[in-house]
PDB file of all heavy atoms in Angstrom:
ATOM      1  N   GLU A 682     -13.142 -53.878  66.655  1.00 94.00           N
ATOM      2  CA  GLU A 682     -12.503 -52.613  66.312  1.00 94.00           C
ATOM      3  C   GLU A 682     -13.576 -51.535  66.231  1.00 94.00           C
ATOM      4  O   GLU A 682     -13.671 -50.799  65.251  1.00 94.00           O
ATOM      5  CB  GLU A 682     -11.716 -52.746  65.017  1.00 94.00           C
ATOM      6  CG  GLU A 682     -12.454 -53.418  63.875  1.00 94.00           C
ATOM      7  CD  GLU A 682     -11.630 -53.515  62.585  1.00 94.00           C
ATOM      8  OE1 GLU A 682     -10.399 -53.354  62.652  1.00 94.00           O
ATOM      9  OE2 GLU A 682     -12.244 -53.757  61.528  1.00 94.00           O
ATOM     10  N   LYS A 683     -14.390 -51.443  67.279  1.00 94.00           N
ATOM     11  CA  LYS A 683     -15.577 -50.572  67.231  1.00 94.00           C
ATOM     12  C   LYS A 683     -15.253 -49.114  67.019  1.00 94.00           C
ATOM     13  O   LYS A 683     -16.088 -48.366  66.475  1.00 94.00           O
ATOM     14  CB  LYS A 683     -16.411 -50.774  68.513  1.00 94.00           C
ATOM     15  CG  LYS A 683     -15.722 -50.427  69.805  1.00 94.00           C
ATOM     16  CD  LYS A 683     -16.689 -50.584  71.005  1.00 94.00           C
ATOM     17  CE  LYS A 683     -16.944 -52.013  71.353  1.00 94.00           C
ATOM     18  NZ  LYS A 683     -15.833 -52.734  71.929  1.00 94.00           N
ATOM     19  N   LYS A 684     -14.066 -48.672  67.375  1.00 93.00           N
ATOM     20  CA  LYS A 684     -13.740 -47.255  67.221  1.00 93.00           C
ATOM     21  C   LYS A 684     -13.770 -46.822  65.745  1.00 93.00           C
ATOM     22  O   LYS A 684     -13.950 -45.646  65.450  1.00 93.00           O
ATOM     23  CB  LYS A 684     -12.369 -46.962  67.838  1.00 93.00           C
ATOM     24  CG  LYS A 684     -12.388 -46.947  69.360  1.00 93.00           C
ATOM     25  CD  LYS A 684     -11.033 -46.625  69.957  1.00 93.00           C
ATOM     26  CE  LYS A 684     -10.121 -47.819  69.966  1.00 93.00           C
ATOM     27  NZ  LYS A 684      -8.907 -47.575  70.768  1.00 93.00           N
ATOM     28  N   LYS A 685     -13.599 -47.793  64.829  1.00 94.00           N
ATOM     29  CA  LYS A 685     -13.623 -47.476  63.418  1.00 94.00           C
ATOM     30  C   LYS A 685     -15.040 -47.281  62.882  1.00 94.00           C
ATOM     31  O   LYS A 685     -15.248 -46.751  61.806  1.00 94.00           O
ATOM     32  CB  LYS A 685     -12.950 -48.568  62.612  1.00 94.00           C
ATOM     33  CG  LYS A 685     -11.473 -48.735  62.827  1.00 94.00           C
ATOM     34  CD  LYS A 685     -10.925 -49.857  61.949  1.00 94.00           C
ATOM     35  CE  LYS A 685      -9.404 -50.022  62.138  1.00 94.00           C
ATOM     36  NZ  LYS A 685      -8.877 -51.109  61.264  1.00 94.00           N
ATOM     37  N   HIS A 686     -16.047 -47.753  63.647  1.00 96.00           N
ATOM     38  CA  HIS A 686     -17.396 -47.831  63.101  1.00 96.00           C
ATOM     39  C   HIS A 686     -18.401 -46.911  63.793  1.00 96.00           C
ATOM     40  O   HIS A 686     -19.465 -46.657  63.227  1.00 96.00           O
ATOM     41  CB  HIS A 686     -17.874 -49.282  63.198  1.00 96.00           C
ATOM     42  CG  HIS A 686     -16.990 -50.239  62.480  1.00 96.00           C
ATOM     43  ND1 HIS A 686     -16.935 -50.358  61.120  1.00 96.00           N
ATOM     44  CD2 HIS A 686     -16.079 -51.140  62.960  1.00 96.00           C
ATOM     45  CE1 HIS A 686     -16.053 -51.264  60.787  1.00 96.00           C
ATOM     46  NE2 HIS A 686     -15.509 -51.768  61.861  1.00 96.00           N
ATOM     47  N   VAL A 687     -18.087 -46.395  64.964  1.00 96.00           N
ATOM     48  CA  VAL A 687     -19.012 -45.484  65.628  1.00 96.00           C
ATOM     49  C   VAL A 687     -19.027 -44.141  64.882  1.00 96.00           C
ATOM     50  O   VAL A 687     -18.043 -43.758  64.251  1.00 96.00           O
ATOM     51  CB  VAL A 687     -18.649 -45.262  67.118  1.00 96.00           C
ATOM     52  CG1 VAL A 687     -18.852 -46.550  67.887  1.00 96.00           C
ATOM     53  CG2 VAL A 687     -17.223 -44.756  67.260  1.00 96.00           C
ATOM     54  N   HIS A 688     -20.179 -43.470  64.938  1.00 94.00           N
ATOM     55  CA  HIS A 688     -20.286 -42.182  64.258  1.00 94.00           C
ATOM     56  C   HIS A 688     -21.092 -41.205  65.108  1.00 94.00           C
ATOM     57  O   HIS A 688     -21.173 -41.414  66.323  1.00 94.00           O
ATOM     58  CB  HIS A 688     -20.885 -42.341  62.838  1.00 94.00           C
ATOM     59  CG  HIS A 688     -22.143 -43.138  62.796  1.00 94.00           C
ATOM     60  ND1 HIS A 688     -22.170 -44.430  62.335  1.00 94.00           N
ATOM     61  CD2 HIS A 688     -23.437 -42.840  63.116  1.00 94.00           C
ATOM     62  CE1 HIS A 688     -23.401 -44.878  62.402  1.00 94.00           C
ATOM     63  NE2 HIS A 688     -24.189 -43.927  62.879  1.00 94.00           N
ATOM     64  N   GLY A 689     -21.638 -40.183  64.535  1.00 92.00           N
ATOM     65  CA  GLY A 689     -22.287 -39.142  65.326  1.00 92.00           C
ATOM     66  C   GLY A 689     -21.242 -38.340  66.063  1.00 92.00           C
ATOM     67  O   GLY A 689     -20.164 -38.046  65.522  1.00 92.00           O
ATOM     68  N   ARG A 690     -21.531 -37.999  67.323  1.00 94.00           N
ATOM     69  CA  ARG A 690     -20.589 -37.171  68.079  1.00 94.00           C
ATOM     70  C   ARG A 690     -19.248 -37.859  68.288  1.00 94.00           C
ATOM     71  O   ARG A 690     -18.231 -37.232  68.505  1.00 94.00           O
ATOM     72  CB  ARG A 690     -21.174 -36.877  69.478  1.00 94.00           C
ATOM     73  CG  ARG A 690     -22.349 -35.941  69.491  1.00 94.00           C
ATOM     74  CD  ARG A 690     -22.772 -35.676  70.946  1.00 94.00           C
ATOM     75  NE  ARG A 690     -21.991 -34.595  71.559  1.00 94.00           N
ATOM     76  CZ  ARG A 690     -21.463 -34.658  72.764  1.00 94.00           C
ATOM     77  NH1 ARG A 690     -21.594 -35.753  73.488  1.00 94.00           N
ATOM     78  NH2 ARG A 690     -20.815 -33.623  73.259  1.00 94.00           N
ATOM     79  N   CYS A 691     -19.245 -39.221  68.226  1.00 95.00           N
ATOM     80  CA  CYS A 691     -18.013 -39.969  68.460  1.00 95.00           C
ATOM     81  C   CYS A 691     -16.943 -39.686  67.424  1.00 95.00           C
ATOM     82  O   CYS A 691     -15.753 -39.801  67.701  1.00 95.00           O
ATOM     83  CB  CYS A 691     -18.321 -41.466  68.494  1.00 95.00           C
ATOM     84  SG  CYS A 691     -19.458 -42.006  69.797  1.00 95.00           S
ATOM     85  N   THR A 692     -17.367 -39.373  66.226  1.00 92.00           N
ATOM     86  CA  THR A 692     -16.427 -39.278  65.077  1.00 92.00           C
ATOM     87  C   THR A 692     -15.255 -38.334  65.330  1.00 92.00           C
ATOM     88  O   THR A 692     -14.112 -38.656  65.135  1.00 92.00           O
ATOM     89  CB  THR A 692     -17.161 -38.863  63.797  1.00 92.00           C
ATOM     90  OG1 THR A 692     -18.248 -39.755  63.577  1.00 92.00           O
ATOM     91  CG2 THR A 692     -16.223 -38.895  62.617  1.00 92.00           C
ATOM     92  N   GLY A 693     -15.589 -37.141  65.848  1.00 92.00           N
ATOM     93  CA  GLY A 693     -14.542 -36.153  66.073  1.00 92.00           C
ATOM     94  C   GLY A 693     -14.135 -36.009  67.547  1.00 92.00           C
ATOM     95  O   GLY A 693     -13.458 -35.052  67.892  1.00 92.00           O
ATOM     96  N   CYS A 694     -14.556 -36.963  68.383  1.00 97.00           N
ATOM     97  CA  CYS A 694     -14.303 -36.843  69.816  1.00 97.00           C
ATOM     98  C   CYS A 694     -12.851 -37.150  70.147  1.00 97.00           C
ATOM     99  O   CYS A 694     -12.317 -38.194  69.727  1.00 97.00           O
ATOM    100  CB  CYS A 694     -15.212 -37.800  70.585  1.00 97.00           C
ATOM    101  SG  CYS A 694     -14.923 -37.762  72.381  1.00 97.00           S
ATOM    102  N   ARG A 695     -12.210 -36.302  70.925  1.00 97.00           N
ATOM    103  CA  ARG A 695     -10.811 -36.530  71.265  1.00 97.00           C
ATOM    104  C   ARG A 695     -10.647 -37.661  72.303  1.00 97.00           C
ATOM    105  O   ARG A 695      -9.494 -38.075  72.556  1.00 97.00           O
ATOM    106  CB  ARG A 695     -10.168 -35.249  71.784  1.00 97.00           C
ATOM    107  CG  ARG A 695     -10.767 -34.703  73.090  1.00 97.00           C
ATOM    108  CD  ARG A 695      -9.900 -33.569  73.598  1.00 97.00           C
ATOM    109  NE  ARG A 695     -10.561 -32.773  74.618  1.00 97.00           N
ATOM    110  CZ  ARG A 695      -9.922 -32.210  75.634  1.00 97.00           C
ATOM    111  NH1 ARG A 695      -8.587 -32.377  75.764  1.00 97.00           N
ATOM    112  NH2 ARG A 695     -10.572 -31.492  76.522  1.00 97.00           N
ATOM    113  N   TRP A 696     -11.717 -38.147  72.850  1.00 98.00           N
ATOM    114  CA  TRP A 696     -11.652 -39.199  73.879  1.00 98.00           C
ATOM    115  C   TRP A 696     -11.976 -40.566  73.309  1.00 98.00           C
ATOM    116  O   TRP A 696     -12.100 -41.531  74.084  1.00 98.00           O
ATOM    117  CB  TRP A 696     -12.601 -38.887  75.023  1.00 98.00           C
ATOM    118  CG  TRP A 696     -12.375 -37.527  75.650  1.00 98.00           C
ATOM    119  CD1 TRP A 696     -13.222 -36.483  75.625  1.00 98.00           C
ATOM    120  CD2 TRP A 696     -11.184 -37.100  76.327  1.00 98.00           C
ATOM    121  NE1 TRP A 696     -12.658 -35.404  76.252  1.00 98.00           N
ATOM    122  CE2 TRP A 696     -11.415 -35.751  76.713  1.00 98.00           C
ATOM    123  CE3 TRP A 696      -9.975 -37.705  76.649  1.00 98.00           C
ATOM    124  CZ2 TRP A 696     -10.459 -34.996  77.391  1.00 98.00           C
ATOM    125  CZ3 TRP A 696      -9.034 -36.948  77.361  1.00 98.00           C
ATOM    126  CH2 TRP A 696      -9.282 -35.638  77.717  1.00 98.00           C
ATOM    127  N   LEU A 697     -12.064 -40.709  72.011  1.00 97.00           N
ATOM    128  CA  LEU A 697     -12.485 -41.971  71.445  1.00 97.00           C
ATOM    129  C   LEU A 697     -11.548 -43.127  71.825  1.00 97.00           C
ATOM    130  O   LEU A 697     -11.979 -44.251  72.060  1.00 97.00           O
ATOM    131  CB  LEU A 697     -12.582 -41.866  69.930  1.00 97.00           C
ATOM    132  CG  LEU A 697     -13.169 -43.079  69.172  1.00 97.00           C
ATOM    133  CD1 LEU A 697     -14.550 -43.443  69.690  1.00 97.00           C
ATOM    134  CD2 LEU A 697     -13.177 -42.817  67.664  1.00 97.00           C
ATOM    135  N   ASP A 698     -10.241 -42.825  71.993  1.00 94.00           N
ATOM    136  CA  ASP A 698      -9.308 -43.904  72.313  1.00 94.00           C
ATOM    137  C   ASP A 698      -9.417 -44.351  73.766  1.00 94.00           C
ATOM    138  O   ASP A 698      -8.917 -45.412  74.096  1.00 94.00           O
ATOM    139  CB  ASP A 698      -7.854 -43.443  71.996  1.00 94.00           C
ATOM    140  CG  ASP A 698      -7.405 -42.266  72.830  1.00 94.00           C
ATOM    141  OD1 ASP A 698      -8.295 -41.444  73.212  1.00 94.00           O
ATOM    142  OD2 ASP A 698      -6.195 -42.133  73.106  1.00 94.00           O
ATOM    143  N   VAL A 699     -10.040 -43.558  74.627  1.00 94.00           N
ATOM    144  CA  VAL A 699     -10.223 -43.978  76.013  1.00 94.00           C
ATOM    145  C   VAL A 699     -11.669 -44.372  76.331  1.00 94.00           C
ATOM    146  O   VAL A 699     -11.959 -44.803  77.438  1.00 94.00           O
ATOM    147  CB  VAL A 699      -9.750 -42.908  77.022  1.00 94.00           C
ATOM    148  CG1 VAL A 699      -8.310 -42.539  76.758  1.00 94.00           C
ATOM    149  CG2 VAL A 699     -10.639 -41.675  76.978  1.00 94.00           C
ATOM    150  N   CYS A 700     -12.526 -44.254  75.360  1.00 95.00           N
ATOM    151  CA  CYS A 700     -13.984 -44.533  75.553  1.00 95.00           C
ATOM    152  C   CYS A 700     -14.468 -45.641  74.645  1.00 95.00           C
ATOM    153  O   CYS A 700     -15.317 -46.448  75.016  1.00 95.00           O
ATOM    154  CB  CYS A 700     -14.773 -43.251  75.317  1.00 95.00           C
ATOM    155  SG  CYS A 700     -16.554 -43.477  75.231  1.00 95.00           S
ATOM    156  N   ALA A 701     -13.959 -45.663  73.411  1.00 95.00           N
ATOM    157  CA  ALA A 701     -14.359 -46.637  72.372  1.00 95.00           C
ATOM    158  C   ALA A 701     -15.812 -46.550  72.012  1.00 95.00           C
ATOM    159  O   ALA A 701     -16.437 -47.503  71.609  1.00 95.00           O
ATOM    160  CB  ALA A 701     -14.004 -48.072  72.809  1.00 95.00           C
ATOM    161  N   GLY A 702     -16.384 -45.343  72.164  1.00 95.00           N
ATOM    162  CA  GLY A 702     -17.762 -45.150  71.708  1.00 95.00           C
ATOM    163  C   GLY A 702     -18.808 -45.479  72.752  1.00 95.00           C
ATOM    164  O   GLY A 702     -20.011 -45.491  72.453  1.00 95.00           O
ATOM    165  N   ASN A 703     -18.354 -45.797  73.991  1.00 95.00           N
ATOM    166  CA  ASN A 703     -19.300 -46.049  75.092  1.00 95.00           C
ATOM    167  C   ASN A 703     -20.170 -47.270  74.778  1.00 95.00           C
ATOM    168  O   ASN A 703     -19.712 -48.215  74.153  1.00 95.00           O
ATOM    169  CB  ASN A 703     -20.123 -44.803  75.374  1.00 95.00           C
ATOM    170  CG  ASN A 703     -20.362 -44.573  76.862  1.00 95.00           C
ATOM    171  OD1 ASN A 703     -20.390 -45.522  77.641  1.00 95.00           O
ATOM    172  ND2 ASN A 703     -20.574 -43.346  77.230  1.00 95.00           N
ATOM    173  N   PHE A 704     -21.434 -47.296  75.177  1.00 93.00           N
ATOM    174  CA  PHE A 704     -22.254 -48.500  75.130  1.00 93.00           C
ATOM    175  C   PHE A 704     -23.113 -48.588  73.857  1.00 93.00           C
ATOM    176  O   PHE A 704     -24.021 -47.807  73.635  1.00 93.00           O
ATOM    177  CB  PHE A 704     -23.201 -48.525  76.350  1.00 93.00           C
ATOM    178  CG  PHE A 704     -22.932 -49.700  77.257  1.00 93.00           C
ATOM    179  CD1 PHE A 704     -21.888 -49.674  78.149  1.00 93.00           C
ATOM    180  CD2 PHE A 704     -23.710 -50.841  77.196  1.00 93.00           C
ATOM    181  CE1 PHE A 704     -21.605 -50.719  78.970  1.00 93.00           C
ATOM    182  CE2 PHE A 704     -23.447 -51.933  78.016  1.00 93.00           C
ATOM    183  CZ  PHE A 704     -22.394 -51.877  78.899  1.00 93.00           C
ATOM    184  N   ARG A 705     -22.811 -49.582  73.034  1.00 92.00           N
ATOM    185  CA  ARG A 705     -23.505 -49.777  71.777  1.00 92.00           C
ATOM    186  C   ARG A 705     -24.981 -50.168  72.005  1.00 92.00           C
ATOM    187  O   ARG A 705     -25.853 -49.729  71.246  1.00 92.00           O
ATOM    188  CB  ARG A 705     -22.820 -50.820  70.926  1.00 92.00           C
ATOM    189  CG  ARG A 705     -21.389 -50.555  70.517  1.00 92.00           C
ATOM    190  CD  ARG A 705     -21.299 -49.320  69.606  1.00 92.00           C
ATOM    191  NE  ARG A 705     -21.199 -48.090  70.336  1.00 92.00           N
ATOM    192  CZ  ARG A 705     -21.889 -47.002  70.043  1.00 92.00           C
ATOM    193  NH1 ARG A 705     -22.747 -46.999  69.034  1.00 92.00           N
ATOM    194  NH2 ARG A 705     -21.738 -45.910  70.719  1.00 92.00           N
ATOM    195  N   VAL A 706     -25.215 -50.996  73.000  1.00 89.00           N
ATOM    196  CA  VAL A 706     -26.591 -51.476  73.194  1.00 89.00           C
ATOM    197  C   VAL A 706     -27.500 -50.321  73.661  1.00 89.00           C
ATOM    198  O   VAL A 706     -28.681 -50.320  73.345  1.00 89.00           O
ATOM    199  CB  VAL A 706     -26.601 -52.681  74.171  1.00 89.00           C
ATOM    200  CG1 VAL A 706     -26.319 -52.221  75.605  1.00 89.00           C
ATOM    201  CG2 VAL A 706     -27.913 -53.430  74.096  1.00 89.00           C
ATOM    202  N   ARG A 707     -26.941 -49.363  74.379  1.00 89.00           N
ATOM    203  CA  ARG A 707     -27.734 -48.230  74.820  1.00 89.00           C
ATOM    204  C   ARG A 707     -28.008 -47.283  73.655  1.00 89.00           C
ATOM    205  O   ARG A 707     -29.123 -46.741  73.525  1.00 89.00           O
ATOM    206  CB  ARG A 707     -27.025 -47.500  75.950  1.00 89.00           C
ATOM    207  CG  ARG A 707     -27.873 -46.434  76.654  1.00 89.00           C
ATOM    208  CD  ARG A 707     -27.301 -46.082  78.011  1.00 89.00           C
ATOM    209  NE  ARG A 707     -25.867 -45.801  77.931  1.00 89.00           N
ATOM    210  CZ  ARG A 707     -25.022 -46.043  78.934  1.00 89.00           C
ATOM    211  NH1 ARG A 707     -25.429 -46.583  80.079  1.00 89.00           N
ATOM    212  NH2 ARG A 707     -23.736 -45.762  78.785  1.00 89.00           N
ATOM    213  N   ALA A 708     -27.026 -47.135  72.780  1.00 90.00           N
ATOM    214  CA  ALA A 708     -27.233 -46.330  71.566  1.00 90.00           C
ATOM    215  C   ALA A 708     -28.331 -46.943  70.712  1.00 90.00           C
ATOM    216  O   ALA A 708     -29.218 -46.244  70.195  1.00 90.00           O
ATOM    217  CB  ALA A 708     -25.921 -46.230  70.777  1.00 90.00           C
ATOM    218  N   GLU A 709     -28.282 -48.264  70.548  1.00 88.00           N
ATOM    219  CA  GLU A 709     -29.276 -48.957  69.733  1.00 88.00           C
ATOM    220  C   GLU A 709     -30.673 -48.828  70.345  1.00 88.00           C
ATOM    221  O   GLU A 709     -31.657 -48.572  69.641  1.00 88.00           O
ATOM    222  CB  GLU A 709     -28.893 -50.431  69.585  1.00 88.00           C
ATOM    223  CG  GLU A 709     -29.865 -51.240  68.715  1.00 88.00           C
ATOM    224  CD  GLU A 709     -29.560 -52.719  68.725  1.00 88.00           C
ATOM    225  OE1 GLU A 709     -29.113 -53.225  69.763  1.00 88.00           O
ATOM    226  OE2 GLU A 709     -29.753 -53.345  67.679  1.00 88.00           O
ATOM    227  N   ALA A 710     -30.780 -49.024  71.674  1.00 84.00           N
ATOM    228  CA  ALA A 710     -32.086 -48.967  72.343  1.00 84.00           C
ATOM    229  C   ALA A 710     -32.710 -47.595  72.256  1.00 84.00           C
ATOM    230  O   ALA A 710     -33.932 -47.454  72.090  1.00 84.00           O
ATOM    231  CB  ALA A 710     -31.940 -49.391  73.807  1.00 84.00           C
ATOM    232  N   ALA A 711     -31.891 -46.571  72.325  1.00 84.00           N
ATOM    233  CA  ALA A 711     -32.403 -45.202  72.367  1.00 84.00           C
ATOM    234  C   ALA A 711     -32.631 -44.618  70.983  1.00 84.00           C
ATOM    235  O   ALA A 711     -33.565 -43.814  70.792  1.00 84.00           O
ATOM    236  CB  ALA A 711     -31.463 -44.292  73.155  1.00 84.00           C
ATOM    237  N   THR A 712     -31.814 -45.028  70.008  1.00 84.00           N
ATOM    238  CA  THR A 712     -31.873 -44.373  68.681  1.00 84.00           C
ATOM    239  C   THR A 712     -32.175 -45.329  67.523  1.00 84.00           C
ATOM    240  O   THR A 712     -32.463 -44.871  66.425  1.00 84.00           O
ATOM    241  CB  THR A 712     -30.514 -43.674  68.382  1.00 84.00           C
ATOM    242  OG1 THR A 712     -29.497 -44.674  68.172  1.00 84.00           O
ATOM    243  CG2 THR A 712     -30.088 -42.774  69.540  1.00 84.00           C
ATOM    244  N   GLY A 713     -32.042 -46.635  67.764  1.00 87.00           N
ATOM    245  CA  GLY A 713     -32.186 -47.603  66.680  1.00 87.00           C
ATOM    246  C   GLY A 713     -30.935 -47.789  65.859  1.00 87.00           C
ATOM    247  O   GLY A 713     -30.911 -48.623  64.939  1.00 87.00           O
ATOM    248  N   ASP A 714     -29.883 -47.031  66.172  1.00 92.00           N
ATOM    249  CA  ASP A 714     -28.639 -47.090  65.403  1.00 92.00           C
ATOM    250  C   ASP A 714     -27.556 -47.729  66.264  1.00 92.00           C
ATOM    251  O   ASP A 714     -27.087 -47.114  67.241  1.00 92.00           O
ATOM    252  CB  ASP A 714     -28.247 -45.674  64.988  1.00 92.00           C
ATOM    253  CG  ASP A 714     -26.970 -45.664  64.118  1.00 92.00           C
ATOM    254  OD1 ASP A 714     -26.344 -46.724  63.898  1.00 92.00           O
ATOM    255  OD2 ASP A 714     -26.578 -44.566  63.642  1.00 92.00           O
ATOM    256  N   LEU A 715     -27.143 -48.945  65.931  1.00 93.00           N
ATOM    257  CA  LEU A 715     -26.161 -49.639  66.719  1.00 93.00           C
ATOM    258  C   LEU A 715     -24.835 -48.901  66.826  1.00 93.00           C
ATOM    259  O   LEU A 715     -24.139 -49.014  67.835  1.00 93.00           O
ATOM    260  CB  LEU A 715     -25.933 -51.046  66.101  1.00 93.00           C
ATOM    261  CG  LEU A 715     -24.923 -51.989  66.806  1.00 93.00           C
ATOM    262  CD1 LEU A 715     -25.356 -52.270  68.224  1.00 93.00           C
ATOM    263  CD2 LEU A 715     -24.780 -53.277  66.006  1.00 93.00           C
TER     264      LEU A 715
END
């Protein structure tokens, strides 16, 4: 249920239901935040 846990720009994004926060592993690699 990743849509409940992503934050940053994802929180208020109107496309969250069609994107689901995109790639978690890329977020982690680039920012350290899964």
Side-chain angles (χ1 to χ4, degrees):
E682 48 180 15
K683 61 176 74 69
K684 287 182 280 190
K685 294 182 179 180
H686 303 287
V687 293
H688 49 256
R690 291 183 83 225
C691 298
T692 305
C694 177
R695 64 170 165 147
W696 305 114
L697 187 57
D698 62 331
V699 303
C700 170
N703 219 333
F704 243 80
R705 299 296 86 225
V706 73
R707 190 162 48 212
E709 182 186 35
T712 70
D714 183 355
L715 181 60

